[in-house]
């Protein structure tokens, strides 16, 4: 038996169900990743027409049934439309990556309210301030922390030995973070420089999103952090890094010069 349910949801994508209906794929606060069918949403006078688009946060009312995998949409009310994501392509592409990562890192139909709020806040930063390079990396660090998979950055992940804050270390995804010279495996990645380690440690402890707007990092530092986190995500979340690498390489690239 179905019951009427209401929750906040971020629209991940939508697809055709019929000539007049759409399937809406949501990441919701109370039900996790779900799909709802918006019947007749493409008809001119349907109240659902134009109420949602990708990366909108909406209040969603739908008929919930435990035996169904796709529910029937009753109402959709936009709460945050983030118009800047329609004009800032870097912010839009970054936001789509974050939404996809959150969805793939959590199972369907399982509530993940902390992950929802993290995604909602990150999209608000991009929507209010435009593209900021630290946002996806901060999001990844905080998502890993919420999932109980935060990389070990202050102690050796293998022997728990304290690491000198000003020294270099090796970052090994399989071990769970930084490893001291004694525990580093043969052929492990290059040493991570002290300045990159200091930034990662600071970002892992920071709260809020002010850092996303004020941090100033060199391209080499961003690349080093992105590479390390990419290996970590691929290993611990079993998410192939190809799409991530393409997205970050695109949005991190310097904007083209405009001829005078």
């Amino acid at each position: 038996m179905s019951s009427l349910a209401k929750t906040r949801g971020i629209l991940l994508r939508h697809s055709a169900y019929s000539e007049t209906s759409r399937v809406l794929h949501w990441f919701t606060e109370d039900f996790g990743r779900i799909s709802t069918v918006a019947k007749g949403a493409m008809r001119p006078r349907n109240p659902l027409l134009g109420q949602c688009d990708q990366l909108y946060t909406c209040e969603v009312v739908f008929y919930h049934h435990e035996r169904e995998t796709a529910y029937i949409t009753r109402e959709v009310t936009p709460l945050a439309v983030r118009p800047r994501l329609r004009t800032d392509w870097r912010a839009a592409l970054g936001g789509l990556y974050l939404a996809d990562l959150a969805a793939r890192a959590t199972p369907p139909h399982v509530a993940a309210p902390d992950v929802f709020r993290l995604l909602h806040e990150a999209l608000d930063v991009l929507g209010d301030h435009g593209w900021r390079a630290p946002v996806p990396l901060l999001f990844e660090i905080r998502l890993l922390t919420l999932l109980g998979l935060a990389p070990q950055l202050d102690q050796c992940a293998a022997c728990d030995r304290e690491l000198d804050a000003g020294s270099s270390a090796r970052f090994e995804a399989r071990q769970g973070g930084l490893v001291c010279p004694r525990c580093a495996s043969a052929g492990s990645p290059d040493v991570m420089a002290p300045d990159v380690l200091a930034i990662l440690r600071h970002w892992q402890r920071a709260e809020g999103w002010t850092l996303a707007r004020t941090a100033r990092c060199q391209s080499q530092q961003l690349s080093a952090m992105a590479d390390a986190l990419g290996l970590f995500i691929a290993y611990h979340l079993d998410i192939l890094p190809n799409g991530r690498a393409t997205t970050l390489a695109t949005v991190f690239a310097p904007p083209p010069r405009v001829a005078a």
Side-chain angles (χ1 to χ4, degrees):
M1 185 175 180
S2 61
S3 59
L4 206 58
K6 180 171 68 173
T7 186
R8 291 193 299 168
I10 295 168
L11 188 63
L12 304 173
R13 64 186 187 280
H14 51 84
S15 55
Y17 182 76
S18 67
E19 290 185 1
T20 59
S21 301
R22 307 291 291 177
V23 179
L24 309 177
H25 304 275
W26 303 93
F27 190 82
T28 69
E29 186 170 20
D30 302 299
F31 299 90
R33 180 159 43 96
I34 65 170
S35 298
T36 67
V37 178
K39 292 187 175 181
M42 304 307 293
R43 292 174 181 163
R45 296 184 180 180
N46 191 290
L48 295 175
L49 182 64
Q51 292 301 298
C52 58
D53 201 354
Q54 280 183 290
L55 304 184
Y56 279 25
T57 297
C58 301
E59 182 181 81
V60 189
V61 180
F62 61 95
Y63 293 99
H64 179 265
H65 196 297
E66 293 183 356
R67 296 183 181 180
E68 298 292 337
T69 56
Y71 312 120
I72 303 300
T73 310
R74 171 71 180 271
E75 297 175 12
V76 174
T77 304
L79 302 175
V81 301
R82 306 182 176 98
R84 192 163 187 166
L85 299 186
R86 272 70 199 162
T87 58
D88 185 336
W89 69 266
R90 291 175 187 268
L93 187 57
L96 289 171
Y97 164 68
L98 300 186
D100 180 68
L101 178 61
R104 296 172 68 184
T106 54
H109 304 281
V110 176
D114 291 338
V115 177
F116 171 87
R117 285 190 286 272
L118 176 66
L119 178 59
H120 177 81
E121 291 172 0
L123 293 176
D124 276 349
V125 173
L126 294 174
D128 292 340
H129 304 282
W131 168 247
R132 295 292 186 273
V135 171
L137 304 182
L138 274 172
F139 180 88
E140 291 175 341
I141 292 171
R142 292 174 182 178
L143 176 63
L144 289 168
T145 301
L146 289 177
L147 298 176
L149 297 171
Q152 178 65 268
L153 299 179
D154 295 313
Q155 297 174 311
C156 175
C159 69
D160 293 331
R161 180 185 179 186
E162 290 287 339
L163 298 173
D164 185 355
S167 64
S168 301
R170 296 185 183 274
F171 188 91
E172 296 191 9
R174 291 176 180 271
Q175 297 277 23
L178 297 177
V179 293
C180 65
R182 296 179 182 178
C183 299
S185 58
S188 62
D190 293 338
V191 172
M192 187 174 286
D195 59 327
V196 176
L197 287 179
I199 294 171
L200 272 177
R201 285 166 174 154
H202 178 55
W203 286 11
Q204 193 174 58
R205 299 186 185 101
E207 298 180 357
W209 292 94
T210 302
L211 186 63
R213 304 192 302 272
T214 60
R216 296 293 183 267
C217 300
Q218 299 177 359
S219 58
Q220 297 90 335
Q221 294 170 330
L222 288 171
S223 296
M225 289 186 287
D227 290 345
L229 290 171
L231 292 172
F232 199 88
I233 288 170
Y235 183 80
H236 291 279
L237 297 184
D238 195 25
I239 296 176
L240 295 177
N242 295 341
R244 175 187 184 274
T246 301
T247 298
L248 294 188
T250 301
V251 295
F252 282 169
R257 292 184 178 180
V258 178

